[in-house]
Amino acid sequence: MGDNIIESSIKAAVDDFKQQKSGAKILLKAVPGCRAVRRAEIRDGRIASIEEKPKHPKSNHAVVGIYMYDETVFEKVRVLVPSGRGELEITDVNNAYIREGSLTFAHLDDGGRMPELSKSLLRAANLVAGTKTSAEAEPALSSKPEKP
């Protein structure tokens, strides 16, 4: 996902995935109250389902958008059917791993940001701009050449 900003290392999650014999791993973040994100329902320490931007989320576990897959991901993608939006959905890939019992997860408990969430677009922009305040932020680039 290109709209998330991760401020800390995900090395521990990646190293943990490398120790898995097969399957997939995703990162989650606790995000209460927001419906505009994918949600993972966790039961008995495992992901039971993932919903695509549910109106009534079953949990506060947002799917961050960092996915790690084994080589069987290509088999799973080949049999996907386009959604109602006419797109192949990453949620369907993750749910295929859930059905075979091979999807694991780790929590991103630090300062990762999901800009679609309330008031975090400005914070994310400031973070990318080097944590300048909005008054200090550099003006947008223009495609017009400067006049001498």
Side-chain angles (χ1 to χ4, degrees):
M1 308 296 283
D3 60 353
N4 297 329
I5 296 172
I6 307 303
E7 295 179 67
S8 65
S9 174
I10 62 168
K11 184 178 182 329
V14 171
D15 289 344
D16 189 47
F17 174 68
K18 288 177 181 178
Q19 298 304 308
Q20 283 183 218
K21 292 187 187 326
S22 63
K25 184 178 216 62
I26 63 173
L27 295 185
L28 305 176
K29 180 171 177 58
V31 181
C34 181
R35 296 181 306 196
V37 295
R38 291 173 187 92
R39 296 294 180 137
E41 179 185 11
I42 299 174
R43 276 191 250 131
D44 300 323
R46 299 189 64 81
I47 296 179
S49 67
I50 296 176
E51 296 179 290
E52 185 75 30
K53 302 176 184 175
K55 290 182 181 177
H56 304 288
K58 295 178 183 175
S59 79
N60 68 343
H61 303 287
V63 178
V64 174
I66 295 177
Y67 311 107
M68 295 165 255
Y69 299 117
D70 66 7
E71 67 281 353
T72 68
V73 70
F74 300 106
E75 297 165 21
K76 291 167 178 61
V77 170
R78 279 189 209 103
V79 297
L80 289 181
V81 175
S83 68
R85 301 183 310 161
E87 297 182 14
L88 300 178
E89 303 288 349
I90 198 69
T91 297
D92 293 336
V93 173
N94 291 331
N95 281 324
Y97 281 100
I98 290 171
R99 284 190 297 277
E100 67 184 30
S102 64
L103 180 69
T104 64
F105 67 93
H107 276 100
L108 181 66
D109 293 325
D110 66 352
R113 302 288 177 253
M114 302 178 77
E116 67 274 5
L117 303 177
S118 170
K119 297 187 180 186
S120 61
L121 277 174
L122 177 60
R123 186 174 190 297
N126 289 338
L127 179 68
V128 171
T131 60
K132 297 178 182 178
T133 65
S134 58
E136 299 171 327
E138 297 178 22
L141 295 176
S142 172
S143 60
K144 297 178 184 177
E146 290 185 28
K147 294 181 181 179

